Amino acid sequence: MASSPELPTEDEQVSWAIDDLHISLQAEQEDTQKKAFTCWINSQLARHTSPSVISDLFTDIKKGHVLLDLLEVLSGQQLPRDKGSNTFQCRINIEHALTFLRNRSIKLINIHVTDIIDGNPSIILGLIWTIILHFHIEKLAQTLPCNYNQPSLDDVSVVDSSPTSSPPAKKCSKVQARWQMSAKKVLLLWAQEQCATYESVNVTDFKSSWRNGMAFLAIIHALRPDLIDMKSVKHRSNKDNLREAFRIAERELKIPRLLEPEDAWRSSVLYRIYMPGTVSYASYL
């Protein structure tokens, strides 16, 4: 007589449920990041001498000219490219783009042409985030008022104070690396200062602090007090606050909408999504 199949234990069922939830959250995060990054790329491509639009990030980025167009807008440089559109020519153009990034000392960890041609979601999202971090967040952080950008004592100590001296290359690279690591902190400090006078707004990170929409509204009010009545926002739902913030930012401040309020409210991991949006608010200065 055949034995009946063993039923999973309670612990195994819980483990499987957790795994399923984790996969679901990852898929949700990936989809939201994809939409946000697609909107950001299109806002940049609109400024190219030959404006274009992408509809599917993972598919359209395989066309090497998309990356080259994006980097030309961000860098203000004209990059070498192959004008063809077959697979071989797309690979060449992607390699041109990655080489350009490497020549600017941008670390591309485990990012290869094959990953982009294959449409690897995590690699492509990582690449776009790296581009945003370098060309927007770091550069913007350097333009914020100097009180955000004071170097640490360690930074000062590695550079000789003599005006005629040249610090060793390794020490210079350490200073640069430290600045790159702190650029996100600089932007967070800026956001915290904009929101400091609003008692109901507490910005501690680029994750949960932004889910109720209050931080976005506070920043808009700090920039343009005439656009928002902060007394009324306390009585609205999180979704309504997000909708109002994105609507005003897009209509009045001409800040591109990088994600929908529902995406921001639902998403469990918001860092990479909110950072580009917060950069746009800081750029308004």
Side-chain angles (χ1 to χ4, degrees):
M1 181 176 179
S3 60
S4 59
E6 292 185 9
L7 296 175
T9 66
E10 184 176 347
D11 287 344
E12 287 175 333
Q13 290 177 337
V14 171
S15 178
W16 291 348
I18 292 174
D19 289 343
D20 289 343
L21 177 60
H22 181 67
I23 292 172
S24 175
L25 290 174
Q26 281 188 320
E28 178 184 293
Q29 178 191 357
E30 181 180 287
D31 183 61
T32 306
Q33 287 185 6
K34 179 182 178 183
K35 288 192 291 186
F37 287 0
T38 297
C39 291
W40 179 80
I41 290 173
N42 283 333
S43 71
Q44 304 304 315
L45 293 180
R47 299 161 47 206
H48 195 263
T49 51
S50 299
S52 59
V53 175
I54 65 171
S55 56
D56 188 296
L57 173 60
F58 300 153
T59 299
D60 294 340
I61 203 169
K62 298 178 185 180
K63 308 167 188 176
H65 67 81
V66 171
L67 267 179
L68 291 175
D69 288 351
L70 175 63
L71 293 175
E72 284 184 345
V73 170
L74 295 172
S75 68
Q77 301 179 31
Q78 187 171 356
L79 305 183
R81 69 175 66 208
D82 194 304
K83 295 183 179 180
S85 58
N86 62 39
T87 302
F88 177 74
Q89 292 161 325
C90 288
R91 291 180 68 95
I92 291 176
N93 285 331
I94 293 173
E95 186 58 56
H96 283 320
L98 298 185
T99 298
F100 171 76
L101 293 172
R102 294 189 189 99
N103 288 341
R104 293 178 70 102
S105 300
I106 300 174
K107 291 184 178 180
L108 303 178
I109 301 174
N110 295 326
I111 297 176
H112 308 287
V113 175
T114 304
D115 298 314
I116 300 172
I117 291 294
D118 291 343
N120 185 312
S122 61
I123 296 297
I124 292 172
L125 291 174
L127 172 62
I128 301 304
W129 173 243
T130 299
I131 292 173
I132 292 173
L133 180 62
H134 176 79
F135 286 98
H136 261 189
I137 297 176
E138 289 177 10
K139 288 190 175 181
L140 175 65
Q142 293 174 2
T143 66
L144 292 175
C146 61
N147 57 299
Y148 299 109
N149 296 321
Q150 293 298 325
S152 68
L153 293 177
D154 290 340
D155 290 345
V156 174
S157 65
V158 299
V159 180
D160 192 319
S161 60
S162 170
T164 59
S165 64
S166 297
K170 288 186 178 180
K171 291 184 178 180
C172 282
S173 65
K174 286 183 180 180
V175 174
Q176 183 180 18
R178 187 165 302 179
W179 162 250
Q180 292 171 348
M181 290 294 291
S182 65
K184 291 174 286 188
K185 183 180 291 186
V186 168
L187 195 58
L188 180 60
L189 289 173
W190 174 85
Q192 289 173 334
E193 182 169 293
Q194 304 309 306
C195 301
T197 59
Y198 306 94
E199 294 182 0
S200 57
V201 182
N202 183 28
V203 176
T204 60
D205 53 33
F206 282 113
K207 298 180 183 180
S208 58
S209 297
W210 303 80
R211 292 188 66 177
N212 63 8
M214 294 288 289
F216 283 120
L217 289 167
I219 289 178
I220 294 174
H221 188 264
L223 300 173
R224 287 280 305 276
D226 58 304
L227 296 179
I228 294 176
D229 177 12
M230 288 300 292
K231 294 181 180 179
S232 65
V233 304
K234 298 179 182 179
H235 308 292
R236 291 200 299 250
S237 68
N238 294 352
K239 287 185 179 180
D240 286 341
N241 281 336
L242 286 166
R243 290 192 186 101
E244 180 71 358
F246 293 171
R247 182 189 67 80
I248 293 175
E250 186 175 33
R251 180 178 299 179
E252 302 294 338
L253 305 182
K254 310 305 178 186
I255 295 174
R257 182 181 296 225
L258 298 183
L259 73 163
E260 294 302 316
E262 290 75 13
D263 295 325
W265 185 79
R266 286 198 313 263
S267 182
S268 58
V269 183
L270 304 170
Y271 176 70
R272 287 188 178 181
I273 301 166
Y274 277 141
M275 279 296 287
T278 311
V279 168
S280 297
Y281 284 90
S283 297
Y284 181 75
L285 288 175

